[in-house]
Amino acid sequence: NNAGYALSCVFESATSEQIQRQFDTNVFGLMHVTRAFLPHFRARRSGRFVNISSIGGLTTTPLASLYHASKWAVEGFSEALRYELNPLGIEVKLVEPGRTQTDFFGRSQERVPVAPDSDYSPTIERIRAALSQAWDPAKLSSAETIAEIIYQAATDGSPRIRYVAGADAVERYQHRLQHGDEASYERMRQQLLG
């Protein structure tokens, strides 16, 4: 159950239409697919939803508040849905990929411009410069690696809910779990803003 793109902007610059489109795609699309399959799964008393979230549903980066909000919604929806569906023999799993060798940061990203004289401009420029250096293609997980983890989630028969996928995603999530929210925030702030 995979749909997604990233709206890259400061929240204040996003239009209502852009916000709606981010949630229509990343959240409501996934919900509509889930609703369409539920009668069939209930009739069989079996089935498995593998919802593709993102490491962005567990940790955050700047200029992506709306993307993160949508992926955190997928996380909450999927976790809560498990309670409803498990007694019916239906499983719900989440895969949280990190940076992957796909066109996600090309055609699957919408950047909202901000006026050069905006209060946000200096911060945006610093963040985008830092991010462009951080997205070294050699450090991205292959699409095949992520596909293997999705396959594992779909077939391993375990009660596990989360499959954090990709070395960078595992490292970011482990850091947050081990060091806490504030330390994770500060680490990201230092990496991108100095």
Side-chain angles (χ1 to χ4, degrees):
N1 205 350
N2 180 33
Y5 77 96
L7 184 59
S8 175
C9 64
V10 293
F11 172 71
E12 189 176 352
S13 69
T15 66
S16 295
E17 292 78 17
Q18 288 168 322
I19 295 167
Q20 185 68 47
R21 189 169 54 248
Q22 179 78 102
F23 278 79
D24 281 345
T25 301
N26 293 10
V27 181
F28 302 132
L30 181 139
M31 288 178 172
H32 292 314
V33 170
T34 300
R35 188 187 307 237
F37 275 85
L38 275 173
H40 307 289
F41 284 2
R42 275 191 304 103
R44 291 178 28 201
R45 287 296 195 255
S46 71
R48 182 175 300 112
F49 291 102
V50 179
N51 292 338
I52 309 302
S53 177
S54 165
I55 188 58
L58 300 170
T59 65
T60 61
T61 57
L63 303 182
S65 59
L66 293 165
Y67 172 75
H68 290 296
S70 71
K71 290 302 184 176
W72 286 54
V74 168
E75 294 283 325
F77 170 71
S78 299
E79 277 193 27
L81 191 62
R82 287 184 80 187
Y83 293 112
E84 298 172 26
L85 301 183
N86 227 269
L88 303 175
I90 304 167
E91 297 179 55
V92 180
K93 301 204 172 199
L94 283 157
V95 176
E96 292 98 349
R99 296 174 295 175
T100 308
Q101 294 170 356
T102 65
D103 194 27
F104 184 79
F105 292 101
R107 67 179 171 81
S108 295
Q109 184 178 52
E110 179 184 352
R111 284 188 171 192
V112 178
V114 173
D117 60 347
S118 164
D119 289 340
Y120 295 109
S121 288
T123 302
I124 291 170
E125 289 172 18
R126 285 172 44 204
I127 291 169
R128 288 195 170 146
L131 284 174
S132 69
Q133 292 177 354
W135 300 115
D136 177 358
K139 296 180 181 177
L140 304 182
S141 296
S142 71
E144 292 79 10
T145 297
I146 304 305
E148 287 172 11
I149 295 169
I150 293 169
Y151 180 78
Q152 177 188 359
T155 62
D156 69 5
S158 80
R160 179 177 167 190
I161 185 172
R162 277 200 170 74
Y163 296 77
V164 179
D168 68 308
V170 169
E171 192 278 329
R172 275 177 56 190
Y173 188 51
Q174 287 303 316
H175 183 275
R176 184 175 193 140
L177 291 175
Q178 291 171 4
H179 300 283
D181 298 337
E182 290 76 16
S184 291
Y185 169 84
E186 185 58 28
R187 179 183 186 211
M188 184 64 67
R189 192 190 67 74
Q190 285 290 328
Q191 287 174 348
L192 297 180
L193 293 171

